[in-house]
């Protein structure tokens, strides 16, 4: 998340230094796709353009029931058999609203590195933060670099250094939660018998086995407690043992090409801000990997706090704006942890969970329940408190739709207008006078006058992160309050 946050801040002309512990991109198995709201975030910043989108191929109700019941058939009835279909606890969900981007996380990292270079972000690879102190004005960091230790000063420090974040630990922010109850492996490996098991996703007496052909890819999950030492090297024999226990065979692992070990501990920082230190992504929350929430949640953190941090650094807004990062994103993280705990619970072996899954499957065959859970899993449900109930309108606090706008110079989407990370005031009626009201904020807010056949309101104020901060039919005078709340005093008094 460090590169994403750096790009968000740099879009507003604020200098950023990224300290990256790894000397180069790590190619072990990570997230394998960009899904849900994260796809919209990528679109609004012009990232991953040209990456093939995966169309939705929803399963039938009969297929949904068969896979949820764990039916073992050679026709590979499992979520990956239906491109674009989402799953919760290995049960199908449908998301017809938009496609997914099924690409390795490393390709996103490469695209972010390219964007960061274009924006002038200084990326220092092989540099590790070993300590820091802060006062009212600065953060002073101790850094261990390739040429030895050195000191670095900055106005703000963002910890984007993962679930075992050194920045979080040094800041003293508590990280409460629940310990893991599983050990899992995600691997690309060669085995001596490709027919050792049917391909697909299968609940077993000891956990879950995922086997995909060409090249062989595996996920194993056993409910035997967390790993004794997550930092220990992973041997072929260790992974082979998990495959054998779950498959009931004597399959032999002949080569491990890429592998990672994981568990399902779920923890969240009590606050995402401690003085001049911010926590973003896995540094603020950890959870199980199922349904891939980590990348999506972290990207949401970065776009939420990036423009706010830039506004404070530029002197447009007071530091209290950064407190809205915790108030808006902490509840989202907490709900994600709950969803992931529920997912793990529904994958546990045993007759009691079997009964619960059968009941859950019946519920998911109902369109309303399926869409509600899809919305939760994909972060489509998120809404923020914009602080003033007078800022009326059904979209206030919600993610703005990607409206198609007709202007004199052609048709453009809202997403295309936010590629530079600026706020938008959409004036969809002629002669409303909104442009004059917003003119003192023209250095921070773009006013767009256009026509729109599907307009949900006559006017919308959209924050840089895509959320609606104000809309009609609120009194136009209340627009001034919304502009001042989110973007600071007018330019002549800033």
């Amino acid at each position: 998340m460090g590169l994403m946050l750096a790009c968000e801040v740099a879009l507003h002309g604020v200098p950023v230094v990224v300290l990256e512990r790894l000397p180069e991109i790590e190619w072990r198995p990570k997230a394998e796709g960009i899904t849900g709201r994260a796809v919209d975030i990528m679109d609004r910043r012009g990232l991953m353009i040209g990456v093939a989108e995966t169309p939705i191929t929803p399963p039938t109700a009969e297929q949904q029931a068969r896979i949820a019941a764990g039916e073992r058939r050679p026709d590979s009835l499992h979520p990956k058999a239906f491109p674009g279909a989402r799953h919760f606890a290995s049960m199908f969900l449908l998301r017809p609203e938009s496609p997914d981007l099924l690409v390795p996380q490393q390709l996103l990292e490469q695209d972010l590195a390219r964007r960061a270079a274009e924006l002038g972000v200084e990326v220092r690879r092989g540099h590790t933060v070993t300590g820091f102190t802060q006062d009212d004005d600065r953060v002073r960091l101790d850094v261990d670099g390739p040429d030895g230790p050195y000191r670095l000063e900055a106005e703000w420090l963002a910890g984007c250094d993962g679930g075992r974040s050194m920045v979080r630990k040094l800041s003293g922010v508590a990280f409460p939660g629940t310990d893991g109850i599983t050990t899992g492996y995600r691997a690309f490996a060669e085995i001596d018998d490709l027919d050792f098991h049917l391909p697909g996703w299968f609940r077993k007496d000891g956990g879950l086995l995922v086997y995909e052909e060409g090249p062989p890819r595996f996920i194993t999950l056993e409910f035997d407690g967390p790993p004794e030492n997550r930092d220990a090297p992973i041997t072929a024999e260790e992974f082979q043992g998990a495959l054998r226990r779950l498959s009931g065979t004597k399959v032999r692992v002949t080569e491990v090409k890429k592998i990672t070990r994981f568990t399902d501990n779920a923890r969240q920082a009590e606050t995402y801000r401690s003085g001049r230190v911010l926590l973003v992504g896995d540094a603020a929350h950890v959870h199980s990997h199922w349904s891939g929430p980590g990348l999506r949640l972290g990207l949401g953190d970065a776009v939420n706090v990036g423009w706010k941090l830039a506004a404070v650094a530029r002197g447009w807004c007071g530091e209290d704006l950064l407190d809205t990062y915790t108030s808006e994103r902490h509840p989202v993280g907490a709900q994600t942890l709950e969803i992931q705990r529920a997912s793990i619970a529904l994958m546990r072996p045993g007759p009691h969970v079997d009964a619960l899954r059968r009941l859950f499957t019946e519920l998911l065959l109902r369109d309303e329940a399926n869409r509600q859970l899809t919305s939760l899993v994909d972060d489509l449900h998120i809404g923020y408190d914009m602080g003033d109930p007078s800022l009326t309108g059904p979209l206030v606090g919600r993610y703005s739709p990607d409206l198609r706008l007709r202007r004199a110079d052609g048709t453009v989407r809202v997403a295309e207008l936010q590629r530079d990370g600026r706020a938008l005031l959409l004036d969809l009626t002629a002669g409303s006078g909104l442009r004059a009201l917003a003119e003192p904020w023209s250095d921070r807010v773009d006013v767009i006058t256009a026509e729109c056949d599907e307009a949900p309101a006559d006017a919308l104020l959209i924050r840089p992160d895509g959320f609606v901060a104000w809309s009609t039919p609120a009194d136009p005078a209340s627009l001034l309050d919304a502009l001042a709340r989110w973007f600071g005093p007018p330019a002549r008094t800033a």
Side-chain angles (χ1 to χ4, degrees):
M1 290 306 110
L3 282 173
M4 184 67 187
L5 178 59
C7 291
E8 287 294 295
V9 176
L11 279 171
H12 301 277
V14 177
V16 185
V17 175
V18 175
L19 302 175
E20 171 56 63
R21 175 181 58 85
L22 297 173
E24 58 186 16
I25 292 177
E26 189 177 42
W27 287 91
R28 65 181 176 83
K30 293 185 178 181
E32 298 165 354
I34 303 169
T35 60
R37 184 62 74 209
V39 177
D40 302 320
I41 292 172
M42 294 295 97
D43 190 15
R44 296 220 177 192
R45 292 301 183 263
L47 294 164
M48 305 306 292
I49 298 298
V51 173
E53 295 180 335
T54 304
I56 301 296
T57 308
T60 66
E62 178 188 1
Q63 291 165 334
Q64 158 77 317
R66 286 165 59 190
I67 184 61
E71 182 176 339
R72 289 153 174 77
R73 291 285 297 272
D75 51 0
S76 295
L77 281 178
H78 59 85
K80 291 291 185 180
F82 300 92
R86 312 290 289 116
H87 72 92
F88 173 74
S90 75
M91 292 184 286
F92 281 119
L93 297 172
L94 309 180
R95 192 202 172 201
E97 290 88 350
S98 69
D100 298 333
L101 302 178
L102 295 185
V103 295
Q105 180 176 328
Q106 289 85 352
L107 293 186
L108 172 59
E109 293 179 28
Q110 290 178 332
D111 203 21
L112 285 171
R114 174 193 59 79
R115 176 63 57 84
E118 292 174 351
L119 293 172
V121 174
E122 181 182 355
V123 179
R124 302 181 185 179
R125 285 197 168 273
H127 294 248
T128 303
V129 175
T130 58
F132 69 84
T133 60
Q134 63 169 312
D135 55 30
D136 291 341
D137 300 313
R138 310 287 287 179
V139 182
R140 295 167 178 83
L141 297 89
D142 298 312
V143 184
D144 189 8
D147 298 324
Y150 64 95
R151 299 293 300 275
L152 181 66
E153 289 192 3
E155 291 186 24
W156 298 90
L157 170 63
C160 308
D161 49 340
R164 286 175 277 186
S165 167
M166 179 61 69
V167 172
R168 185 191 65 243
K169 293 174 182 176
L170 292 172
S171 70
V173 174
F175 200 49
T178 53
D179 293 332
I181 60 174
T182 64
T183 293
Y185 301 93
R186 188 187 303 268
F188 291 89
E190 298 293 336
I191 56 178
D192 65 345
D193 181 9
L194 294 177
D195 296 322
F196 87 108
H197 198 282
L198 293 177
W201 291 41
F202 300 94
R203 285 180 68 236
K204 298 287 188 175
D205 292 340
L208 187 77
L209 171 63
V210 177
Y211 171 39
E212 296 175 2
E213 299 175 298
R217 172 183 175 271
F218 306 88
I219 303 176
T220 66
L221 186 72
E222 294 179 277
F223 286 80
D224 55 357
E228 292 184 6
N229 182 1
R230 287 186 61 189
D231 296 322
I234 306 172
T235 65
E237 290 74 17
E238 178 184 346
F239 173 57
Q240 177 179 276
L243 277 185
R244 288 183 173 186
R245 287 188 296 272
L246 290 169
S247 67
T249 69
K250 295 296 184 181
V251 64
R252 186 168 63 89
V253 175
T254 58
E255 181 185 2
V256 175
K257 296 183 176 180
K258 297 177 184 178
I259 192 167
T260 187
R261 182 196 291 121
F262 61 91
T263 186
D264 63 293
N265 59 311
R267 299 184 179 279
Q268 185 178 28
E270 286 190 339
T271 179
Y272 289 2
R273 179 192 174 196
S274 176
R276 306 189 78 80
V277 178
L278 302 161
L279 302 175
V280 180
D282 289 349
H285 38 69
V286 296
H287 41 72
S288 72
H289 295 176
W290 300 104
S291 300
L295 183 59
R296 183 173 59 248
L297 188 59
L299 290 171
D301 290 346
V303 297
N304 181 283
V305 74
W307 65 273
K308 297 174 182 177
L309 182 56
V312 174
R314 290 290 301 266
W316 293 332
C317 298
E319 294 181 12
D320 57 337
L321 179 64
L322 292 174
D323 293 331
T324 66
Y325 172 47
T326 294
S327 64
E328 291 180 350
R329 294 300 296 176
H330 195 279
V332 176
Q335 187 173 52
T336 298
L337 264 64
E338 288 291 279
I339 291 171
Q340 293 307 105
R341 290 186 182 109
S343 177
I344 289 293
L346 276 168
M347 288 191 290
R348 294 190 75 149
H352 293 84
V353 176
D354 291 346
L356 183 59
R357 286 178 68 91
R358 286 191 290 271
L359 175 60
F360 211 84
T361 299
E362 289 297 323
L363 292 175
L364 289 182
L365 293 177
R366 300 175 182 268
D367 185 69
E368 181 180 357
N370 200 299
R371 291 178 180 275
Q372 182 176 357
L373 187 53
T374 302
S375 180
L376 287 171
V377 168
D378 274 353
D379 288 349
L380 306 180
H381 67 293
I382 295 173
Y384 298 142
D385 181 1
M386 291 298 160
D388 187 345
S390 69
L391 308 177
T392 187
L395 282 180
V396 172
R398 310 291 298 185
Y399 201 77
S400 65
D402 189 20
L403 302 172
R404 289 190 172 274
L405 310 176
R406 293 195 310 278
R407 303 192 299 178
D409 56 353
T411 302
V412 65
R413 294 184 296 118
V414 167
E416 295 169 327
L417 293 172
Q418 290 205 290
R419 297 282 165 81
D420 58 2
R422 287 169 59 87
L424 295 180
L425 175 59
L426 299 184
D427 183 358
L428 305 179
T429 59
S432 66
L434 295 181
R435 180 178 293 274
L437 287 176
E439 195 279 332
W441 286 270
S442 60
D443 57 338
R444 285 153 274 174
V445 180
D446 292 330
V447 180
I448 305 296
T449 302
E451 296 179 348
C452 180
D453 294 334
E454 60 209 39
D458 291 337
L460 299 169
L461 176 62
I462 304 174
R463 303 191 320 186
D465 59 354
F467 283 82
V468 178
W470 174 91
S471 82
T472 54
D475 189 316
S478 66
L479 172 62
L480 298 176
D481 295 332
L483 288 165
R485 171 178 172 79
W486 295 112
F487 310 113
R492 59 180 175 269
T493 61

